[in-house]
Amino acid sequence: MNILIINAGSSSLKYQLMDPETGVVSAKGLCERIYIDGRLTHNANGKKVVKDIPMPTHSEAIQAVLAILVDPVDGVIKSTDEIDAVGHRVLHGGMEFYDSCIINDEVIAAIEKCIPLGPLHNPANLMGIRACQAVMPSTPQVAVFDTAFHMTMPPVAYRYAIPTEYYKNDSLRRYGFHGTSHKYVTKRAIELMGRSDIKLVNCHLGNGSSLSAVKDGKCQDTSMGLTPLAGVPMGTRSGDLDPAVAQFVMNKYGMSADECLNMLNKKSGVLAISGVSSDFRDIEEGAAAGNEDCALALDKFAYEVRKYIGSYAAALGGLDCLVFTAGVGENSASMRARICQNLEYLGVKLDPEKNNVRGKEAIISADDSKVTVWVIPTNEELMIAQDTAALVNAAK
Ligand code: ADP
């Protein structure tokens, strides 16, 4: 089976052609500068091709992707009929979507309804969906939502303690993001542990970071909120903050709400504290060279992640399994060690040698650790392909 995975942004579109059973990716690439001029970067058959192709809209970008996938030289399939289904990553499913679903007119209307909650991403995701429908009308399309995995949270986790009208009228609540990644590592953790009745905390630590608390395979809480700004500090996002900070800087510096949110989303986090970079590799290098601001940025990040792990152990009433994933979680042994410091009271004990692992599935806890600590590389594309294949096969 061939599933085309589409992740459409406002001026870009990433794609992969994947076999959902084996996870083998036969081609992948990126369309950039849509609406400006248009550039396609395509990787297949062991080589990379870059082509400037006019992309006045997402529709031409999709046409360029399909054309190169069937190209006699750079392509991997003979005809677009060999694409069994398309899986679209969609940012915000609001309170409408608890799982992935086959796209029809009702689903499109519901994604549109969620635009106020995901004003930057949902319109772009919809453009990707419409462009695919236009050029391959008989191929089933599936929407996979970043928020869906978290929809099993109970009200104590998702309700904000603000007047109820904002929840009832405006759907303001915690949603959470990175759901496809949290779903994938949860599935793997259950497979690897050999049982589903585990109390699990997932740490998706990348440029954007979020944690989830999971019991019996179902999400109970997560650190991001109405938007991806909440939770632990990230590359450039502040994470949790006293909302009065926003009022203070807006009043003092004459900032609009949008300018203030832009500062909190793009100029904060470990970038702000380190004063050096949003990239953890640069910050680790800075700290190793004696830069105290870099050292503080790493400590602050580890401290906040550790606090979330502790609070989620409390929320779950215990902890069996701790998972690290995404760029930092999969690759930085030093950050994992920093986070797990002083967690022995919870039963978390790392094995320094086992922790010396990068980018592959491995247990990194000591043999006598009560909690099993895993590195599980995430694979959001595989999750999208598997969800898409399952829905399309079930509908046959
Ligand atoms: P995104 O949220 O953009 O998907 P990723 O999950 O790819 O991000 O994570 C990117 C982050 O992972 C960057 O900050 C990068 O520095 C960090 N990272 C990647 N490899 C390492 C490493 N070996 N050590 C420390 N950090 C790393």
Side-chain angles (χ1 to χ4, degrees), residues 178 204-208 278-281 284 326-328 331-332 358:
H178 293 142
H204 175 111
L205 310 178
N207 186 34
S278 62
D279 191 302
F280 280 80
R281 281 167 293 202
E284 287 187 357
V328 179
N331 293 299
S332 178
R358 282 182 60 174

Side-chain angles (χ1 to χ4, degrees), residues 11-310:
S11 67
S12 70
L13 184 150
K14 291 188 202 140
Y15 64 93
Q16 288 196 7
L17 191 68
M18 184 189 276
D19 179 336
E21 272 140 43
T22 61
V24 170
V25 177
S26 50
K28 67 175 178 180
L30 168 70
C31 298
E32 290 168 286
R33 302 177 58 85
I34 306 173
Y35 296 98
I36 305 167
D37 37 29
R39 169 168 297 172
L40 173 75
T41 307
H42 177 77
N43 295 279
N45 309 316
K47 74 175 199 293
K48 177 170 149 182
V49 184
V50 181
K51 285 187 176 184
D52 288 331
I53 300 170
M55 296 175 187
T57 70
H58 281 73
S59 194
E60 289 77 14
I62 291 282
Q63 283 170 25
V65 170
L66 295 180
I68 202 151
L69 286 173
V70 301
D71 185 88
V73 179
D74 299 316
V76 289
I77 48 177
K78 287 198 182 69
S79 139
T80 53
D81 293 346
E82 290 175 47
I83 299 172
D84 296 287
V86 184
H88 294 268
R89 181 176 187 175
V90 181
L91 179 84
H92 219 305
M95 289 179 9
E96 309 286 324
F97 296 102
Y98 283 60
D99 212 340
S100 307
C101 60
I102 293 188
I103 296 171
N104 56 27
D105 289 348
E106 265 174 29
V107 168
I108 288 189
I111 297 173
E112 267 172 352
K113 206 175 142 196
C114 299
I115 287 178
L117 299 170
L120 297 180
H121 292 83
N122 276 33
N125 303 150
L126 279 167
M127 283 190 271
I129 291 170
R130 290 198 169 110
C132 282
Q133 285 182 322
V135 294
M136 41 204 314
S138 55
T139 309
Q141 319 267 333
V142 168
V144 178
F145 299 91
D146 258 21
T147 48
F149 178 68
H150 305 301
M151 291 309 283
T152 49
M153 284 189 289
V156 285
Y158 73 67
R159 281 292 295 274
Y160 288 139
I162 58 173
T164 303
E165 67 214 57
Y166 300 117
Y167 171 66
K168 293 222 165 119
N169 299 340
D170 306 303
S171 309
L172 296 190
R173 48 162 279 177
R174 180 188 302 282
Y175 289 97
F177 297 87
H178 293 142
T180 313
S181 173
H182 287 283
K183 182 175 175 180
Y184 176 79
V185 295
T186 296
K187 185 169 169 268
R188 282 304 293 148
I190 286 171
E191 284 163 7
L192 292 163
M193 296 290 283
R195 60 192 181 98
S196 61
D197 61 336
I198 44 173
K199 292 169 181 162
L200 168 67
V201 171
N202 294 315
C203 307
H204 175 111
L205 310 178
N207 186 34
S209 294
S210 66
L211 286 87
S212 64
V214 177
K215 199 174 184 177
D216 300 326
K218 295 204 159 55
C219 182
Q220 303 298 314
D221 205 345
T222 190
S223 59
M224 285 178 164
L226 174 73
T227 76
L229 182 55
V232 296
M234 307 174 211
T236 62
R237 294 189 193 119
S238 63
D240 295 339
L241 199 70
D242 178 345
V245 170
Q247 182 204 30
F248 185 100
V249 293
M250 284 163 71
N251 285 343
K252 177 151 187 202
Y253 297 101
M255 276 186 195
S256 66
D258 285 356
E259 286 167 339
C260 182
L261 264 276
N262 191 51
M263 179 271 285
L264 295 173
N265 269 306
K266 305 226 169 103
K267 298 182 185 163
S268 300
V270 292
L271 166 68
I273 295 187
S274 71
V276 166
S277 172
S278 62
D279 191 302
F280 280 80
R281 281 167 293 202
D282 300 337
I283 304 172
E284 287 187 357
E285 228 173 78
N291 181 324
E292 286 180 10
D293 292 336
C294 287
L296 177 61
L298 296 177
D299 281 341
K300 171 72 178 167
F301 181 75
Y303 176 76
E304 297 294 343
V305 172
R306 194 186 311 126
K307 275 189 4 190
Y308 261 100
I309 295 170

